[in-house]
Amino acid sequence: MLFHVRMDVNIPRDLPASEAAEIIAKEKAYSQALQESGKWRHIWRIAGQYANYSLFDVKDNAELHELLTGLPLFRFMKIEVTPLLRHPSSIRTDDT
């Protein structure tokens, strides 16, 4: 299943810089591993914001929930999820 996910990050200003840097490094490694696996198909930064739009390709809602809650920055995020279906007028054959 494909999911469009918006993630807005709000790291508290009083979080020590070293702790924030460590969490951000873990986040990058985790997200890149998911991208390499094909589960996190695309990620785009939203200009001027600490936010992104992403496209996930996972088995079901439960798998997406597991991946999102596993994000090291999850506790600092507001996340909006939209399930996607292939449009019947699409000429693309490589999207499910």
Side-chain angles (χ1 to χ4, degrees):
M1 292 182 69
L2 294 176
F3 293 91
H4 175 267
V5 179
R6 178 181 172 136
M7 294 178 235
D8 291 88
V9 181
N10 185 16
I11 298 174
R13 295 191 188 278
D14 62 348
L15 188 70
S18 61
E19 186 177 342
E22 183 179 331
I23 294 168
I24 291 167
K26 288 178 182 177
E27 179 85 10
K28 182 176 183 176
Y30 181 75
S31 70
Q32 288 180 341
L34 289 175
Q35 290 174 67
E36 289 170 1
S37 77
K39 293 181 184 292
W40 194 328
R41 287 179 60 174
H42 298 283
I43 183 171
W44 296 275
R45 172 155 289 168
I46 301 172
Q49 299 178 37
Y50 195 169
N52 72 76
Y53 286 121
S54 292
L55 188 65
F56 285 82
D57 188 357
V58 294
K59 184 177 80 173
D60 55 24
N61 295 340
E63 183 179 14
L64 179 65
H65 180 77
E66 181 180 331
L67 297 179
L68 294 177
T69 58
L71 290 165
L73 285 170
F74 177 76
R75 64 185 174 163
F76 306 122
M77 291 182 170
K78 175 185 172 199
I79 298 176
E80 295 178 18
V81 175
T82 305
L84 301 173
L85 297 168
R86 190 174 192 285
H87 195 283
S89 297
S90 175
I91 63 170
R92 302 280 311 256
T93 58
D94 61 342
D95 285 331
T96 55

